[in-house]
Amino acid sequence: MIVSLSEIKTHLRIDHSDSDSDLQLYILAAEADVGNFLNRSLSSWGPEGSPVGGSPSAAVPEPVRHAVKMIVGDLYENREAANADITIHINPTCQRLLFPYRIELGV
């Protein structure tokens, strides 16, 4: 994972462990979503953001890490949306943070 549970809990200002298992699932979902948007595996980041070996969490650019945190926050805050008549839209700020890191966009 490129963000830890403790980072997410700090970001969301959560000081209990009641939601830890849900948050772990949201982290995985957010990272998969970001990877799909970027057309790359987040585990492929290397030093300086290049796709070579190294510690993935240290090499992933901060805007990408922050977008994951924002998506986890959206998933957490809107966890009842599947049961209600609420539409979730992609956060334009996340798109702005991620777009410079997209690859293989095609024509």
Side-chain angles (χ1 to χ4, degrees), residues 54-73:
S55 171
S57 63
V60 175
E62 195 57 37
V64 174
R65 290 173 33 80
H66 192 69
V68 168
K69 292 177 191 178
M70 291 177 67
I71 293 169
V72 171

Side-chain angles (χ1 to χ4, degrees), residues 20-95:
D20 285 4
S21 61
D22 288 336
L23 290 172
Q24 291 281 17
L25 293 174
Y26 298 153
I27 292 168
L28 293 173
E31 289 183 357
D33 190 42
V34 167
N36 287 336
F37 183 82
L38 297 177
N39 296 316
R40 68 185 337 156
S41 168
L42 297 183
S43 63
S44 69
W45 293 95
E48 303 299 320
S50 62
V52 292
S55 171
S57 63
V60 175
E62 195 57 37
V64 174
R65 290 173 33 80
H66 192 69
V68 168
K69 292 177 191 178
M70 291 177 67
I71 293 169
V72 171
D74 285 346
L75 290 170
Y76 181 74
E77 292 299 321
N78 297 296
R79 58 193 172 274
E80 301 299 327
N83 299 325
D85 200 16
I86 300 172
T87 304
I88 305 298
H89 299 282
I90 296 172
N91 186 326
T93 301
C94 286
Q95 287 182 332

